[in-house]
Amino acid sequence: MRIGVKKKIGTVTWITYYNFGTFLQAYALQQVVTNLGFDSFIISDESIVNQKKPKRSIYFCLKCALYRIYKRTFHNNSYAKGSCRSNILYKQFADSFLTIDRTWKNSDDLNQRYDMFICGSDQIWYPSTEIFHPFYYLAFTDKKKIAYAPSVGSSSYPEEFKSKVKSLLESFSSISVREEKGADLLRSFASKEITVALDPTLLLSSEQWENIIHRSTATEPYILCYLLTYNQVYIDYVYSYAKEKKMQLRIFITSDKYLSYADKPLFAGPKEFLEEIHGASYFFTDSFHGTIFSIQYRKRFVTFKRFKETDGKNQNSRLTNLFAILGLEDYFISEERLSVIAQLPEIEYNCVHAILNEEREKSIIFLSKALNS
């Protein structure tokens, strides 16, 4: 390596699927790695995603195309137009804020482009046959590999995954994951040391996040809602709460079912997602990253449980872990506990951010040591 030339880091994470948290965690990790003195690139996983898509017949593809045309022409035109606008905003965010390597041709080409690789965050290590791909474990390279806070996102680990994942983990020089439960699951069969680290979006301060947004121009207070999973009980509660408080209800539209509840339906990109949270008076969400930015921006908020504890695909562990670290367990609410929301006290954010600052420092130290050792 020539003196004065920065090492090139390639980060593998989800970046093809349009999700607020997916794009924001990718941005945050890229910023932190850059701040630590490296040239940081996000490796496009588009070809991997396309590989995993099942092949469809010409008849099936034609049927789907005609159905999309029908929906856009006759059914929920506002939802279709809004979704298109959201897609444009995601592309604008990627062009403005992310450095993505979309030109790599194959594993050998990719291996030659970078000095080392990071297995980035999000639920890329979720143990599912639909998600699993050796690419997300950096199997294409024999260079230095670091795992920074990928999420296992599950309360159990199927036996069918253990043998193939164990061999993949052995080649990492440093491994961290996003939640304690995930670390315990990997420790049960892997010999490598597993550290728990913060999600990348928590490695940047709220002031750093404010640098990329425009402050809200809303003249009246509003209630904000973002639900990844449609839940009639939750949306009814939020709608009633907004009416009781006589405040506008803004909803990020993840389903056309929400359109009739929203005073202002929101079709957004990652930047607009941050801006709406920043300006909200109260935020109701079932999202991990919705929760994180509620905390970053010191908002009154409640996080609804998306999954029942008995659900075999329960992904509550990452939120349970975050709330336990920050002492905010009371703000993680199930359908059976909606009545307690009215009695929840104001969050003592000075204490919460003091804990967060300590955890942030630990995680950045881990990443720095991993990159420089």
Side-chain angles (χ1 to χ4, degrees):
M1 194 73 181
R2 299 191 307 275
I3 296 175
V5 177
K6 293 181 179 180
K7 289 185 178 180
K8 291 181 66 176
I9 310 293
T11 296
V12 164
T13 188
W14 288 340
I15 202 61
T16 300
Y17 174 59
Y18 285 176
N19 172 275
F20 298 135
T22 294
F23 271 56
L24 293 170
Q25 63 84 20
Y27 167 81
L29 185 56
Q30 187 164 63
Q31 289 297 302
V32 173
V33 172
T34 300
N35 292 342
L36 289 172
F38 299 89
D39 277 340
S40 179
F41 297 81
I42 300 165
I43 299 169
S44 172
D45 64 339
E46 184 175 3
S47 62
I48 306 301
V49 171
N50 289 337
Q51 280 178 27
K52 294 182 72 61
K53 288 181 179 178
K55 291 184 178 180
R56 307 293 192 184
S57 67
I58 295 175
Y59 171 76
F60 181 87
C61 293
L62 179 61
K63 183 179 177 181
C64 288
L66 290 172
Y67 180 68
R68 285 195 295 269
I69 293 171
Y70 164 77
K71 284 192 72 175
R72 290 176 182 175
T73 306
F74 301 106
H75 179 70
N76 253 332
N77 199 32
S78 61
Y79 181 76
K81 287 182 178 178
S83 297
C84 289
R85 177 178 180 273
S86 179
N87 291 343
I88 291 170
L89 292 171
Y90 271 99
K91 291 175 182 175
Q92 289 176 351
F93 183 89
D95 291 342
S96 299
F97 296 104
L98 303 178
T99 305
I100 303 176
D101 181 353
R102 304 183 190 276
T103 63
W104 64 279
K105 299 177 180 62
N106 51 48
S107 295
D108 290 338
D109 176 38
L110 193 56
N111 189 42
Q112 292 173 12
R113 293 187 181 209
Y114 298 97
D115 298 298
M116 65 183 89
F117 295 87
I118 297 177
C119 198
S121 193
D122 225 325
Q123 296 185 73
I124 57 174
W125 283 5
Y126 184 73
S128 163
T129 52
E130 295 177 1
I131 293 174
F132 176 82
H133 194 289
F135 175 80
Y136 296 111
Y137 294 81
L138 308 179
F140 55 83
T141 183
D142 56 0
K143 290 183 177 177
K144 186 175 182 179
K145 307 176 190 179
I146 298 159
Y148 185 80
S151 177
V152 175
S154 178
S155 57
S156 61
Y157 210 93
E159 289 296 326
E160 63 183 294
F161 282 93
K162 289 183 178 180
S163 59
K164 55 186 174 184
V165 169
K166 180 178 180 178
S167 62
L168 291 168
L169 295 181
E170 293 304 315
S171 62
F172 280 79
S173 61
S174 301
I175 300 177
S176 65
V177 293
R178 200 164 64 181
E179 62 280 305
E180 192 63 51
K181 182 66 175 178
D184 287 340
L185 289 172
L186 295 184
R187 289 170 187 146
S188 69
F189 65 87
S191 60
K192 304 292 288 189
E193 180 179 353
I194 313 290
T195 300
V196 177
L198 291 180
D199 183 85
T201 55
L202 288 169
L203 298 183
L204 300 182
S205 68
S206 55
E207 291 78 17
Q208 287 173 298
W209 281 114
E210 287 184 12
N211 288 336
I212 69 170
I213 67 172
H214 296 296
R215 290 181 177 272
S216 173
T217 57
T219 56
E220 298 292 336
Y222 60 88
I223 306 293
L224 185 63
C225 181
Y226 175 46
L227 299 178
L228 289 165
T229 300
Y230 187 83
N231 184 303
Q232 192 65 51
V233 174
Y234 292 152
I235 193 60
D236 283 344
Y237 179 88
V238 174
Y239 182 79
S240 297
Y241 185 92
K243 293 301 179 186
E244 178 188 338
K245 299 297 182 182
K246 298 180 179 178
M247 296 170 69
Q248 183 189 62
L249 177 57
R250 301 185 180 188
I251 303 177
F252 291 107
I253 304 299
T254 55
S255 166
D256 57 4
K257 296 178 183 178
Y258 290 130
L259 287 169
S260 61
Y261 293 92
D263 296 313
K264 183 175 181 179
L266 301 172
F267 295 93
K271 182 170 173 285
E272 294 73 26
F273 176 71
L274 297 181
E275 290 169 349
E276 291 291 340
I277 297 174
H278 191 275
S281 296
Y282 208 125
F283 187 25
F284 293 93
T285 188
D286 65 358
S287 155
F288 179 69
H289 286 100
T291 301
I292 282 178
F293 287 103
S294 299
I295 294 167
Q296 286 277 30
Y297 292 143
R298 298 174 178 247
K299 293 297 165 180
R300 294 188 66 195
F301 79 97
V302 161
T303 300
F304 296 127
K305 289 189 177 182
R306 285 178 66 196
F307 304 92
K308 296 185 183 299
E309 297 303 327
T310 55
D311 189 338
K313 296 184 178 181
N314 176 9
Q315 298 176 22
N316 291 335
S317 62
R318 54 189 176 152
L319 279 161
T320 301
N321 186 72
L322 177 65
F323 283 128
I325 291 172
L326 300 178
L328 295 174
E329 295 94 331
D330 290 343
Y331 298 83
F332 196 23
I333 302 291
S334 63
E335 292 180 18
E336 297 75 25
R337 294 185 61 243
L338 294 178
S339 60
V340 309
I341 294 175
Q343 286 77 47
L344 288 174
E346 294 278 352
I347 296 172
E348 295 182 11
Y349 270 118
N350 286 341
C351 296
V352 170
H353 277 251
I355 298 169
L356 181 55
N357 288 339
E358 291 180 8
E359 296 299 322
R360 178 183 295 129
E361 183 177 359
K362 291 178 188 176
S363 292
I364 291 176
I365 288 173
F366 165 83
L367 181 57
S368 179
K369 286 183 177 179
L371 289 169
N372 289 292
S373 61

